[in-house]
Each structure stands twice: as structure tokens, then as C-alpha cells.
Amino acid sequence: MASYDTVVLGGRIVLPGRGPVRADVGIKDGRIAAIGEGFSSGEADEAIDAEGNLVLPGAVDAHYHLGIYRDITEDAKSETPSSLAGGVTSIISYFRTGSHYLEKSGPYSEIFPEVLEATQGHSYVDYGYHLAPMARDQVGEIERLVGEDGVASFKYYMFYKGMDLAGGSSDAAGYTMSENYDLGHLFEIMEQVARVQASRHDGSRVSLSIHCEQPELIRIFKERVQEEGILQGLEAYSASRPTLTEHLAVAEVGVLAGHTRCPVNLLHLSSEEAFEAALELKRQHPALDARLETTLHHLALTYETYNDQRGKVNPPIRAQSDVDALWRGVLRGEIDWVCSDHACCSEENKEGDLWQALPGFGGTALIYPFMLTEGLRRGLSLERVVDLVATNPARAYGLASRKGAITVGADADLAIVDLEETHPVTTERLLSAQDYTPFEGMELAGWPTRTLLRGQTVFADGESTGSPTGTYLKRPLTEARPLSTP
Amino acid sequence: MASYDTVVLGGRIVLPGRGPVRADVGIKDGRIAAIGEGFSSGEADEAIDAEGNLVLPGAVDAHYHLGIYRDITEDAKSETPSSLAGGVTSIISYFRTGSHYLEKSGPYSEIFPEVLEATQGHSYVDYGYHLAPMARDQVGEIERLVGEDGVASFKYYMFYKGMDLAGGSSDAAGYTMSENYDLGHLFEIMEQVARVQASRHDGSRVSLSIHCEQPELIRIFKERVQEEGILQGLEAYSASRPTLTEHLAVAEVGVLAGHTRCPVNLLHLSSEEAFEAALELKRQHPALDARLETTLHHLALTYETYNDQRGKVNPPIRAQSDVDALWRGVLRGEIDWVCSDHACCSEENKEGDLWQALPGFGGTALIYPFMLTEGLRRGLSLERVVDLVATNPARAYGLASRKGAITVGADADLAIVDLEETHPVTTERLLSAQDYTPFEGMELAGWPTRTLLRGQTVFADGESTGSPTGTYLKRPLTEARPLSTP
Amino acid sequence: MASYDTVVLGGRIVLPGRGPVRADVGIKDGRIAAIGEGFSSGEADEAIDAEGNLVLPGAVDAHYHLGIYRDITEDAKSETPSSLAGGVTSIISYFRTGSHYLEKSGPYSEIFPEVLEATQGHSYVDYGYHLAPMARDQVGEIERLVGEDGVASFKYYMFYKGMDLAGGSSDAAGYTMSENYDLGHLFEIMEQVARVQASRHDGSRVSLSIHCEQPELIRIFKERVQEEGILQGLEAYSASRPTLTEHLAVAEVGVLAGHTRCPVNLLHLSSEEAFEAALELKRQHPALDARLETTLHHLALTYETYNDQRGKVNPPIRAQSDVDALWRGVLRGEIDWVCSDHACCSEENKEGDLWQALPGFGGTALIYPFMLTEGLRRGLSLERVVDLVATNPARAYGLASRKGAITVGADADLAIVDLEETHPVTTERLLSAQDYTPFEGMELAGWPTRTLLRGQTVFADGESTGSPTGTYLKRPLTEARPLSTP
Amino acid sequence: MASYDTVVLGGRIVLPGRGPVRADVGIKDGRIAAIGEGFSSGEADEAIDAEGNLVLPGAVDAHYHLGIYRDITEDAKSETPSSLAGGVTSIISYFRTGSHYLEKSGPYSEIFPEVLEATQGHSYVDYGYHLAPMARDQVGEIERLVGEDGVASFKYYMFYKGMDLAGGSSDAAGYTMSENYDLGHLFEIMEQVARVQASRHDGSRVSLSIHCEQPELIRIFKERVQEEGILQGLEAYSASRPTLTEHLAVAEVGVLAGHTRCPVNLLHLSSEEAFEAALELKRQHPALDARLETTLHHLALTYETYNDQRGKVNPPIRAQSDVDALWRGVLRGEIDWVCSDHACCSEENKEGDLWQALPGFGGTALIYPFMLTEGLRRGLSLERVVDLVATNPARAYGLASRKGAITVGADADLAIVDLEETHPVTTERLLSAQDYTPFEGMELAGWPTRTLLRGQTVFADGESTGSPTGTYLKRPLTEARPLSTP
């Protein structure tokens, strides 16, 4: 007779390759030990009633910025509960040297342990890191970072070639604390990533994520917007970094990735033009492993309806036609995953001159509520929503052996969600340290009533529960523990 | 406490979206009631030991010809055990009016009940039927066949426009027992199928399968081969129906399907040229639902290594370069499924003049052994093999709610397979009435040691066990029975 | 000192690669002996004053049907003056065996001399012939026809596979007087034409012209139009042979021409869909020599404005959107030439049942007036008009060494045209035996005031002058006579 | 009776749209007054015997660098005779501010008159100028330069974004004497050129020529070549600026030109990869006016056969496979014209460190000899050779009304060429001040025996004759003088 630590009873479970099925889940030692029908509360120490609710795999928020504007530890403490509120149980956060974050440069062999140290013991979700080789020496660290440190994905920021994060200064070298952060540098990163990937034979994926905005064009458009002085707020910001700058950046990436055969992730596509350019890249390089990402806010907001400077983000919030194009890509399966690009950025950081205001804001708490509400309304199936926020990013980033799907043997990361009841978005509900939200007032269903991380309830009744038990995800994850109990 | 009819213990189960996991399966009332770890034999009336074996979903052999050359009942009795030997638990067989089969024409409202009657009680696997509207009046029956008779897929044979099945006679009308079996007829079928598909809102798929060979070209090439008299056997037959004839046929289908928006399945692609034409069709019509099929024999045989007339089949066995191209398509996921095109065709039917010999032969018993042996060797994962022979055809043809994947709630159709031991292909091992096999002597692993249909062991120790319990699959299948036990 | 037979003084000459230049032309022995400035009437026996007029090369009407409905001799006598009225000095007429024309079949070695005999001495313009191999034996004559008889272009009619010329009967074999006039037959023609072309090393072109309409689809659509009985006249006729039938036909040609590498001419494209299919054919086969033709009537008429049954023609008159698409193709240089498809078809032939009425009508007299009026209005330059009706067809069909452009050494075939004065189209003005015209009433400029054939004035003051001096154009034409006078 | 200043008798004249014709040319007042047969020496003051020779239009060398390394006046005096030796009668020279040339920056309103002044009276050929807006203020001068100064084409050098001309220094701003010479600057130039082009309604063309090499990649590759120290000479130089750098540059241009609709000329394509990228650009932007250029040296030399540092040029000399690909493009008509990129660069400038040696060398004297020898050998017709070196560049750059083709009314710029006799290339024969030539020793036919500029013999017997009578070509040229003599 099977005996579980916990059983989740009576929910509709969204199973991979199947969609929602009325079944129960038995959890033992933090993993899913059984999925079946007719389990009883007597079989386990704890029984969770999921009757009337959906049971989803914990989401994988693949784009996150722990510690970009605040102390890493502080961010880990305050922001990962927000993830739990959205049903997110794993995050992969971007880290880089240079300005912001730790405000320093140097070898990752020294700095990355510091980052891990700062996070360790403070995160409420499991977490991994993408790292950005900002200086040439760091490119030489890629192989070791993959092999020893569990960092299976890297990043290049195209616009740092010519400006800082806020777009206010053209002192790129000062901001990145490095020389020659240009397409030559990108080329060298791609070569390294491709080389490491080619040397692997376990089917795992090493990849490079790219922020696609071309700064030489931004220089011109920003100046025009400033000189003309007609547009305001997010519309001005979008005009200063028009979609053509994404288009050009994607075209540049296409040539380099096609040549080096480097697996790439085109991050936070914000516009129809960027998306079309990405599809063209794939058409031109059919054998290239290129995956497309968009964000909650690019699927939710427009400068037409939310022109508030607090929505400043890179790439910018666009027009309704762009939102519609991105949804088309999501519906057709051409966009691979949706993430939050969560960066806790206080209202204070957003004030004053548009060009000095810091970009980014939080959204991780809306991963499931937004996608379940808006995605289902637009025709996504439940199974596809799960693919977009859990299964696909887990596969792209080396987590699939334990995260992103409800299967026997996987970590018991579950979001139990109420699809019936709707609530408006409020800052309180998001459990973040950020003191406003651009999503304020949206009426959403699909809020988690309970979130489990490796079998433990870590969020319930609108609050995170217990201590920060998140662990570092050394990627690619493997099935370290035996599937049968000893 | 859960109590099962049967438990399958200790196997490596290939789970959708996950791949092989060491786990157990609990079966109740013919369906998978639970998947988990640590189930014990005491929890069930029957315990099956799968230790050291793979547990796969029963395959769905989507291309079959029950009764084409023999009595339907006879074929059902003798050939469906062969399917079980290959781990196949569901077949979808093609039926049409005209010569062969029942040797008559008329409305399907009269003839299809006869077909079902002839099969009922004689099949060892679950079975559905694709029907081919051969006469104009039958096109008008499509809507009713879908709505009432559970026939969700149809067929058009392009070469019957100009010749008979064996390619020996150009009396197409005599063979099909119909007039104007041409592209105009195909157009009208496509319109109907597309119309019925467009009227459905349950996500189910109604489609048209197409045999792509162009008879006007075959006329020329066959004559040349006959006049030149140099080539022999399968090489002669391939030259008489060269890959250009498939290419032209696929191009014609592209224009018509693009216009009508009819979901299509391009059957048994046999060559690089056919496959490239199919990819081009998809590029030109990105919004069209077009799926690609190939067969075991087109992946296994060439006229270079097997030039024996018994291998006559439409489209013909090709060259090694074609085999390699088809495998590329399979590996890249561009070909959607692999089937047997099983037609029991006795040695007697294959003798004499090449142009009179009947085409086709059996292969259903090799579905898992061949794909596990050759597919894994070429780099397919276990999960992808299952997609190709079970999950994908089940999805394409309206069976996915109960067939094609191991998930809780699905029918307990399982193939328990030994991946270690190899055996050569012999006619005895195939359990078919056919008295030879073109696959003779291939050394394959991956033979089922046991096959379960809806929870019952129907094949074990190289023999089918028990009586023919296969039921008709009224498509699209729905989850008729409640998932919780009463 | 130069001494000419004739000088043409003071006109604006449209020179190749240059456009209109005010210059004079000196003619000697039927050829252009000099082009220059300041020639005087004293230098020649005859001086023609072209002051205020355009001087254009005689047009090459590349699609013509001498003798289709009447005696060849009779048509030559009555219709070639109509060509002169439009500035046409060379025609290439289609001839085939089977019904209409000579109402018989047999080898071209016997029949073509008969055709030449019937034309000889009766044509007012120089003339060549395209021949259509209707029977298999005629395919074997291609090499000899090119090498000995000066026939450098051939034809295949796709719709004769399934119906007669009028579309009223499906007795194709009876109409063509041949068996198997299908895509297999087309394939064999293409092979022969490609083989002959590949064996030539003088840069000359041998090609196959194709009438692209697919009869199997027409069968269905015609029946629907007849059964529904709603549409009338040309709109009904267009609906019975919708643009999809051209699309499918062009797609079929693409596969076969791509395989055989046969140079092809896609004749009288009538619709946007046909034209787009032709562009797609070229994209898919960038190395293939494929040229596109449209006609005056497909650029001029729509069933929306002229729904009169007398406008019945294959392919049919279409809608305004099709006309606009064809003009786009002409303006962009994607359509290579414009012709009349002239077939003298009396009003009597057009009466009665739409499906029995004979297709085709005359238009050769409008080649320059229509293209100069409508083409210039839509933005064509004079040089491009000349390319479309003279230079390009001369190049495509082996006439360029002497026809199609005003250069020293070329035949002195000239159209002297008044661009200022407009006249309405009337049957009288067209000088044809046809007793009506679908172009009736169009107000056109650009009528020739005088036409010269090899230096002789053969049309002036609205009448043809003199006797029929047209000679047979044995293609490819070569510069048979020395350029310097002896 | 016509009376000419000069007649050219008995040659084979290459006429547009016709090819070679045996005819005579009558010249009056510097223009072609007549082309005809049987002209006599008595009709003119001077008779030139061209019997046995070809008569070609004077070539238009569209890429030239007067004054880049020496005084403009000096270069005009010494290098334009070299052009005459190659049958070139018009050149269009590139000029820019910044280092080299006049070694200064400032408004073209001040500097361009200086350039014209320095050339005036010193050139033996007619000449125009392309100008490169290096500084932002110069972009604002484009409209005036077109409208008033006859400058109808501009230039952008992509690699000056990151390095100097020799590739030795990364002080781009110092070299260009401007800030922000980046893709933003290119974008602004394109906008201006496109705007000016769109405002013209005379059919004339204003365009932007682009040197496509991407400096951010060159940075990496140059460093590797230097560090590895294995490759030498031109092979090292090619490896330091690999074809990928051209590919990326062309891709960047595609996005910007596609957006702005700026007519572009992709200069001196050197490699298969660059050429393929250019074709892809055209496929992606079918409505864009994009023309392709290559040079004599990229068609003639490889680092495999000429690895001498004196052949340093940007982009570099490549491999044989690149030469073959460029010839394919020339033969298929995909490359629009061929030029010399003539820059007189003394041997002294080529000595020492590879990275400091100055790029470029002369070649204008080989325009006709090389293209007639090598082009005809590879299958070009005489007419196509003339298109490539005369007609096409004349059309692209606003000279076609008077230059680039032998037609009545055009300037009597003629190259009388001997196709029979071959001579090896020697520095003496090139009549240039450059003291070596990478083409040394090539055995070429097609050397001009005489060159006429506007009717005057300016080169004969291997020497330029007379004084420098070249005039400035204010583009677009118009037919300023009446075609009839007064």
C-alpha cells in the first residue's frame, strides 16, 4: 500500500499531452509519487482538497531581475513571495556585472559565489541564474560556468553598446564597466556558447538570451522625441526606441547566430515588427535553435491606455496592434514562452525626467492569473497556458527533468488555482515590495489559492507561509534522487 | 485506499512530456486509474511485473487495409493479432467501394453497416475506419458519416484517376466503379470536409487523407520501363512511378487544399522529392492543417537491397537516398507519424507479371520493434518514438481523449516491451496470415512481451490470448465513462 | 554619299535603350540603313514626313489564330490588314491538328506544308507559326520542325485534356483527334523541347507556350453555374472556369517545367491568381526560363462592364481586380509581353447557348493604340510599350535579329503613330472581317497613320495599300542578307 | 545631304538591344548624328577607319577615387588618361571630408566648389562626383547638392564606424573628423536621399552607395589574425575582414533601406557570402531599388594566386570560390555593373606593416580589356559587356540621356577596340602614375586602339592625345542641346 506525505484530492489536473483530468496527486519526499483516481485522505498525513479547482504545475518565470535596483538578499526576501502568489515556484534571474546590481565588475569566479551567497536562504522559490558576460575575460568563463556552476544560459544586451540602462546617457563603457561591448563581443559569446553546446551529448541545451534593441538608431529617435517635445510618457518612450530598433537588432542576431549556430532566445519581443523579424530569422535559418519570448506586460499594456511613466520598461510598452500581433504569435505557438521580466522598481525610481527614470517593474504574481484570464479568453487551451509559463521555459533552460509539468517523479511544485472567482489587481495582492503596479485594477481570474514547492504549502490564503526554502537550481537539473523510496 | 484490477509494476513508463520514468500503473475498469511509485501487488487482483521493461502506450496504426484482398472478417481475425505482436492496440483501416474489398459500389449508408458488421466481434484490437468517397453521391454522405457514424477522416486516391490498383490497367472507371474520379471530385470532397470541419467547435479534427501519385505521368514512365525492358523488380516498379509523380500530386493537392482550407494528411510519403514537395506545400500555406505520414517500409527498405517483386507497393520502395531523407524528416519532427499500411497480400498475389501483381504487404507487427530499434539508433528519443506511432496519429484522427498516451483516465492500452533482447523478423513472429515478409531477417529489439487492451492482457509470450474483444472507435472519441469510480 | 530608297523625316523615334529621340531614318533594300539627324528628302527616292509623330518598330503580335474558324487563306487576306492598322508587321500564329483549323490530324511533315501553302502570298504581314503537338507521333517531329521548318516554339492546351474548345463537350479525344492528351503528353513535349534547346549553342531560344486552365475543375464549376442558373454571360463563363483553374494549371506546369528545364511561355494570364501563381513558379525555379504573357482584352475588359456573350474567350474575361493586378505586373516588368490572341470569330458563332458559342475574337488592330493610350496613362514609358509589344516577343520567339526594334540593319518595319488625335474604336477602323468588336467605343489615341513593312508603306490613311507581301519567318531569323549594299 | 565632322567607318558597332552590327557612325558637334551603312569618308572632315574593330560606347567607370592619396589635380592629370586607355570616357569619383583627400571637414557648400575647382581643366574624361555626408550637418546639404550641384548619388562607409581606412586604428572619430558616424547617421542619410528621390517626378534616380563591411566584427577577426600570426599578406587581410563582415553589413542595410525606401547601391561586393546576402536583401524587399556592384579586381584576383601586400584593398581580395560566385552573378544579370574602384596608390604606400599599408590601387585602364577578354570567355555577349560597364552605370547614376550607349543624339563617346590582338598588362600600358599593378602580366585582348570623347580623339596609339577636355557631369544629365543642328 502506498503511503504519501500529502495528497491533493479532487482537482482538475492539467496533465502534459492530455489537458485537464479529474484526478488526485500523491506526494512523497517532495516529489509527485502518484497521479490517480480515488485516492483518499487516509493515505496521507495531509490531505488538500482541490475540489472545484485546477491543479497546475508551478510556473517557471524565466525572466527575472533579483537585485537589480536593491540588495539581492532584500529582493529575494520581498519578491519571491510575489512569485508564489502567481503560482510561480521556479525563477531564473538575470545577473550581470557593471552598474546596478553589485555595481562592480570582475571575474564571475569571484562574483557569482557572492550572488549565490546573497540569495541562499532568502528565496521562497527555487531559483537559477542566467549570467551576462560583460567583459571579454568573462567570455572565457562560459565553459566553466556551465560545467561547474550550473549556469546553462547567458545574456547579451544589444543596446548597452551605445547607452546606459535608462537610455539617458551614452556612456556605455562607464555603465557596463567594460570596453568593446559590441557585436564583436556578441560574436565571441556566441562562439563560446555554441562550442559548449556542441560538446554536450546529453540532450541538454546551453543558450544565449538576447535583448534586441539597436542603440545607434535609438540615439537618433530619442533625440528627435526630445527635440520635438510633443509626445509624452510611454508614447514618447516608445517613439524614442521604435520597433525598427528591435527589427534591426534581430536581423543582426540572425546573421551572427546563423553563422555560429549558437542557440538563442530572443527576449521580451514587444512589437509586431520585432516578432515578424524573429519569424524571418527562423525562416532563414531553419536548423537554428531560436526561441521566442514575450512578457506579460507586452501582452497586457499599451501606451494608448496606460501612458504613465511608471510603465517605462525596455523594450517599451507599444500600441494595441503590437499587442494583437504578439497574441497571434502566442496562439499559433510561434512564441515559446511568456514571463514577467520582474524587476522591483520603486515609484521613487520612476519619477522626474523620463530619460532618467529607471526601467522595469514587477509582474511575477500575475503569471497564472493573467495568462489564464486573458489566454483562455483568446482561445488558448489550459494545456497551452501551462506550456507557455511552465513546460516550455523549463525545457529551454534545463529544468525539465524536475520542473514544469505534473508527472510522476517530478518535483511536487503545484499551483492550485480558482478559475471561477475574479479579483482586481491591487498592490496588496501582489505581495511585492513595489509600491504600485501598472496592472492596477485589471479584473483577473485564475489566482492561486495555494502553491506548493516540492510538496510543501508555501502560499495559501493570500500569504506566503513559512520560511524561504528555495534552493539553487544547478542546470541542467538531473534526477538526482531515486524515484523509488528506499 | 486505492484498489486496482491490475497493477503494472517496476517498468520504465514513457510518459508524455517527460520520457521514461520508473513507475507503476494501476488499472481499474479498463482505464489507467493511477500512475505512481511504490505500488504493491497486494493492491490489485493481478500484478504484472514490468521490471527491466519499457511500458509504452499501445500504438495507433493509422493506415491499415482490413479486407482489401480477403474477406473483412477473415482479415480481422488473422491480422489484428499481428498488430498486438507489434504493440498496436488501435488501428484505423481504410475502406472504399469499387473493385477489391467488397467488389461493389453504392451508398455508404448501406455499405458501411455491412463493413462494421463484418468486423464486429472479430478484431483483437480497437478499430476505426477512414472512408473514401469514390462516387459523387458519397461526397454528400460526408457530413452524416462524421456526425452519426464516427468516421472523422476520409481518403482520396490520386492515381485512380487513370489506372487500377496494380497499375496494370487504365480502366479507372471500371476499377473505381465511378465516373469522373478526378481532381474535380477531389475538390468537392475537400469542400465538404472543410465545411464539416469549420462547423465543429469542439476542437476535434475532420480531415482528408491523400494518396499522392499522379497517373498521367505514370502512364508515360510505365510504358518506357516496359519498352526498355532493362530494369527489373522493384527498381522497375519505382521507375514506372518515379518520385516526380508524387511531387506533381502533392503540388496539385497544395493548390486545392490551400483554396478549400481542407485539413489534409499526405499519406505514405516514399521519397525525398515527395517529402520536399510536402514541406513546400506547408511553406506556401502556413495556416493550412497539413500532416505528413510515412511508413515502416519506406523507412526500412530500398530496391537496392530488396528488389523482390513481393515488395511491390504503392508508392513504390525507393532508393537509399530517399530512405535517408525520410528519416531526416522523422528526426526533425517534420513527418508527423509512422504507420504500417498493413495489407495482407499472399505470395500468390505477388507472382507472375510485375504489372499484374497486387501491391501491398503486412507490417503492423513491426511498429514498435522497428521504430525502437532503428529510431533510437538514429537518435530519436523514446518519447518521440511514442509520439510518432501513438500520440500523433491519435491526435490527428480523433482518438486522443483515450488513446495514444499513458495518462490517468486514458484507456489502459499498454505495450510492455523488452529493449534488450533482439530477434530476427520471421513470418512466424508476425502472427499474420501473410506467408512471407519483406522485412525477413531484420534483427530487431523492442518486441512486446505483453500487450494490454483496456486493461486486459491480449498478447503475451508471442501469442494473442483470449477472444477478439476489439471495439469500434466512433471518432472523435470522448470520455464516455466517468473518471471516478462510482 | 548615302542614298536611300526612303527616308522618314522629323519623327520622334523610340530607340532601344534610349526612348524617344528626334531623328530621321534612312531605308535601303527594305532595311534600316541609317538613323540620324538632318537627313533630307533629297537623299532618297521617297520621303515620309513624320513630323509630330512617333516612329515605332512594327509590333510583333505573338499570339494569333489564322484559320481557326475560317479558311487559312481567307483569314490571312482579311485579318492581316487589321494587324497593319494596329502597327503590327509580324505575327506568330498558332496552328494545331484536330477539330477546327483544318479539321484533321496527321504528321506535321504533311500538314505544315499545307498550312504554309495556304498562307503563302496572302498575308499582309510577315508571319511565323507556333505548332501544337497534339498526337504522340508529332512530339517526335519537334526536332525536325525546329531544325528544318523554322518552327522555334510549340504549344500545349491544358484544358483539352478534358473538354473541347467551347467547353460544351467533354469528348476531348474526339475534339483533339488524339488519345492521352494529358500531363504525360505535356511531359514528353517538354522533354523534347528542352532537349532541342539544350543542343543549341547559338543563343537562340526554343520554347513551349502553355494555355493554363485545368479541365477537371472546370467540369465541376461549369456544372454548378449551369445548375444554379443565376449568373449570365461572361460572368457565368468566368465562374465556370474560375481563376483557381488557372492557378492549378500553372502549379502543374511548374513541377513539370522545373523537372525538364523546358523554357516555357505562360500564355494569356487572365487573373490575379494566375499571375501570382506564375510569379510563384518563377520564385521556385529561379533558373527556369519562364516568360509571362497577357492580352489586350484581359487588360481592357471586365465582365462587370462588358457582360456580352460575344466576349467569350478562353481564359475568360475577369473582374476589375484582375485587370488591375495584370497591369501591376505589366508596370513592374513581371509580364513580358502583351498580344491580341486574335481569332476572327463572327457574330454568328457567338450566338445561342453560352456553352456552344465559340471563344475568341479579334484585337490585333489595337496593339499600339490600346497600349499607347492605356499604358502611358498608367505610367509606362514609350520605351516600355515598345518592349512589351515588339522587342520582348521578338526576343522570346527568335525574331530579334531583324524584328522588334529600330536599329541599323534591322528590317524597316515601322509604325508611324499619332499620339495626339483620339478616335473611338469601330469595327470599320479595325479592317477585320469580324462584324463586331468587344472594344467598341473605346476612345484611343496612338493610331498608326502609316505602317511600313520592310521599307514599303503597306498601310496608310486607314487602309492597307498594295498586295500581300508578307513572308514566312523561318525562326530563329538570321541576318541572311549582308548589311552593306553590294 | 548630311555632313559630319567625323565618320567612323566599317566597324562592328555594339548597339543597344541589338548587339554588334556592321555600320558607320556620323558625328557632328560632339554627338552621334547618324548611325548607318555606307557612309563615306567624303561626308566628313575626318574619317576614322574602324574596319575589323569593335565600336563600343565609352565606358562609365562608376567607382573612382580622384585625390584620395594625392592632390586632386595631380590625380586628375595622371589618372584620367589611364581611363582613356581602357575605353572609359566618363568617371564618377567618390569624395568625402575627413582624413585623406583634403584632410579636412566642413560644409560641402564650401568644400565641394574647391573639389570642382581642383578638377576643372585637368581631367581627360568627363567626370561626376558622389559625395559622402560624413558629419550630421552635411546630411542637411543633400537636397541642395542634388538640386543645384548635380550630385545625384551619395555614399556611406560602414566600417568607418569603428576604424580608419587602413584598418590600423580604431580612432574612427579622428579619422572621419565627425561624431556618431554610425547606423543612426546612415539612417538619417537614407531618409534624406529617399525624401529627395520621392520628390522627383522626372524619372531620375537619386541613390546611396554603401561600402558594406561591419567594423565590430573586423575588430575581433583582425585581432585574431594578428595574435595567431600564421596567415600572411592578402590571405591574412581577408581573414581579418572575413566575408561574414560583409554579410552582416548587407543585412543591416536591408533593414534600414527597406524601412526608408532609399534607393541603394551595394558597392564592390567581394565574396559569395556578400553576394548571397545582397540577393536575400532583394528577395525580402522586392519593391526596393537596390543595385549591385562588383569590381574588376574582385573578378580577377584571389589571395591564392596573388598574395602580394600591394593588393590590399577594402573589401579584401578573396578566394577562387568567391570569384566564381561573383561571375555567376554577373552572368545571370544579378550584378548590375562592374567598375575599377580606381585609387592611385603608390608602391611606397603599400610597404611595411600590413595593417598600416594603404588600401586600393588602379584598374580603370582594364575596364574594357578585362571584361571583353574574361567576360566573353565566360559566356557574356558583347551587348552584356557594354551593359555592365557603360549602360547600366549610366542609368543608375543619371547619365543615360547622353552616356553609356551608342544612339543617335548621345555624346559621341566611343571606344574603338581590337578584339583580336592580345597584350600582357604592364604598368606602361596603363598610363597611370601608379608604379606597379596587381594585374601585371595578364594577357588580355580588347584594348582600345582609339578613344573618342564627344567626337574628339583623345586616345590613340597607346597615348592620350591633346589637352584635358573633360567636363563636369551635372547629374541627372539632360539633353541640353537640340538634337537637330541649327
Side-chain angles (χ1 to χ4, degrees), chain C residues 1-2 4 15-18 20-24 28 31-40 43 287 383 391 395 400-402 405 407-410 479 482-485, chain D residues 1-2 4 15-18 20-24 28 31-40 43 332 383 391 395 400-402 405 407-410 479 482-485:
Chain C
M1 164 194 159
Y4 306 114
L15 294 175
R18 187 74 203 290
V21 169
R22 196 166 184 286
D24 308 318
K28 195 168 179 75
R31 287 171 310 116
I32 297 172
I35 304 166
E37 302 169 0
F39 292 3
S40 70
E43 291 179 90
E383 198 183 339
T391 315
R395 286 185 173 177
S401 67
R402 285 173 45 193
T407 59
V408 171
E479 298 182 16
L483 278 163
S484 321
T485 42
Chain D
M1 167 194 154
Y4 305 114
L15 294 175
R18 187 74 202 291
V21 168
R22 194 165 186 285
D24 309 318
K28 194 169 179 76
R31 287 171 311 118
I32 296 171
I35 303 166
E37 302 168 1
F39 293 3
S40 69
E43 291 179 273
R332 289 185 189 161
E383 198 183 338
T391 315
R395 286 186 173 175
S401 67
R402 284 174 46 191
T407 59
V408 171
E479 300 183 15
L483 278 163
S484 321
T485 42

Side-chain angles (χ1 to χ4, degrees), chain C residues 212-228:
Chain C
C212 299
E213 291 187 286
Q214 218 280 357
E216 302 167 49
L217 294 184
I218 295 174
R219 178 176 71 76
I220 296 294
F221 289 104
K222 177 191 157 197
E223 190 182 304
R224 291 184 184 178
V225 168
Q226 288 180 315
E227 284 178 0
E228 290 169 1

